[in-house]
Amino acid sequence: MARKQQTRGECVFCRREMAKGGLTRHLKSCPARQETIAAANAGGGKNEALYHLQALDAWSGDYWLHLEMRGDATLNDLDSYLRAIWLECCGHLSAFSIGPYRYTQLFDDGWAVGDEKDMAVKVARLFRPGMEIPYEYDFGTTSELVIKVVDVRKGRPLTPNPIFLMARNKMSAFICQECGQPAEWLCIECIYEHDEPGLLCKAHADEHEHEAYGGPMPLVNSPRVGMCGYVGPAEPPY
Ligand SMILES: [Zn+2]
Ligand SMILES: [Zn+2]
Ligand SMILES: [Zn+2]
Ligand SMILES: [Zn+2]
């Protein structure tokens, strides 16, 4: 899909908006984030390793999340989060690739092969800053992500949940291929069979005649848009 500019997003701590790369640097030094961290550390609870992760779609990098994840949480927790905010359509399998191993959903019936391990493992045992972890959701119509381990700090978590959302990309501004108004719908048949952007406003989606891929579907803020009939909701789970 044609895009006009690098996607931007907002720091949840200070509400400043900036581009993807700027946010990676900004989050290290944001004064409002440092205050929030200091307040959490002054409270009760135990210290743990907290990982700054950046999740990106592997192809355009236009879809991204900045997350802080608790070291005691598991790859299952990260998988559940990614499904809720970006991916879940019909319960496909998924996998993280770390070193020689694929961490996936294992069953008790002997499906595991040599290099497979279960996702029920604490991330503090695996994550190190600088790692770039490939992730796949659905081994048929695959959504490929990369999880970058940007940084780690010791302290008290900002949330009782496994993951805290620090920033995410805003929806790109898409333009209707028929009239130039903002587009909110996507036609897969236009893309696959007619070499068109497939982007449509509400009015042109309503009168659009392509039906081969189920007709126009809503554009949502997710790298899975248009794949396997994915229509969102693309919202964080907590
Ligand atoms: Zn900030
Ligand atoms: Zn599906
Ligand atoms: Zn239109
Ligand atoms: Zn179409």
Side-chain angles (χ1 to χ4, degrees):
M1 275 184 281
R3 285 168 203 275
K4 301 186 72 179
Q5 60 193 33
Q6 197 188 1
T7 49
R8 300 173 68 82
E10 204 176 69
C11 167
V12 298
F13 302 102
C14 70
R15 299 288 166 196
R16 273 182 64 192
E17 186 185 300
M18 60 201 89
K20 176 176 65 180
L23 259 166
T24 304
R25 288 189 298 275
H26 170 79
L27 284 166
K28 286 186 198 295
S29 59
C30 170
R33 182 181 179 216
Q34 294 308 320
E35 279 174 33
T36 308
I37 288 171
N41 286 342
K46 73 180 179 78
N47 283 335
E48 57 186 282
L50 300 162
Y51 295 88
H52 176 175
L53 307 179
Q54 189 185 21
L56 300 130
D57 73 280
W59 296 111
S60 71
D62 283 345
Y63 296 95
W64 45 263
L65 309 167
H66 283 283
L67 308 171
E68 185 167 84
M69 179 163 187
R70 301 173 63 163
D72 288 348
T74 67
L75 286 180
N76 273 327
D77 294 315
L78 181 54
D79 180 66
S80 299
Y81 194 92
L82 295 170
R83 285 169 183 260
I85 198 165
W86 268 357
L87 302 171
E88 185 63 80
C89 51
C90 25
H92 303 282
L93 295 175
S94 54
F96 297 89
S97 298
I98 302 177
Y101 298 111
R102 277 166 64 82
Y103 291 82
T104 186
Q105 291 86 13
L106 292 187
F107 305 97
D108 297 330
D109 54 6
W111 277 30
V113 293
D115 62 348
E116 289 193 330
K117 286 177 179 279
D118 196 88
M119 274 190 194
V121 55
K122 290 183 179 183
V123 299
R125 293 182 50 193
L126 300 170
F127 286 1
R128 300 291 176 266
M131 287 173 85
E132 297 196 1
I133 300 165
Y135 169 89
E136 294 165 74
Y137 172 77
D138 181 0
F139 306 147
T141 305
T142 307
S143 287
E144 295 182 41
L145 311 180
V146 176
I147 314 299
K148 294 184 181 180
V149 184
V150 176
D151 206 356
V152 62
R153 67 181 180 91
K154 271 278 191 199
R156 298 194 171 124
L158 304 182
T159 165
N161 294 316
I163 290 169
F164 181 90
L165 179 63
M166 300 194 290
R168 96 184 271 193
N169 69 284
K170 293 193 165 175
M171 276 284 271
S172 299
F174 294 111
I175 301 295
C176 175
Q177 65 193 25
E178 309 292 340
C179 70
Q181 294 297 305
E184 293 169 30
W185 295 78
L186 181 69
C187 174
I188 302 302
E189 186 175 342
C190 276
I191 296 171
Y192 286 174
E193 296 186 12
H194 303 277
D195 206 20
E196 296 271 4
L199 298 165
L200 300 162
C201 69
K202 177 80 173 79
H204 284 112
D206 283 347
E207 64 184 41
H208 202 67
E209 290 182 346
H210 290 158
E211 292 292 338
Y213 295 83
M217 56 184 71
L219 273 169
V220 288
N221 188 8
S222 155
R224 196 155 177 82
V225 66
M227 297 171 74
C228 198
Y230 181 79
V231 290
E235 297 293 340
Y238 41 77

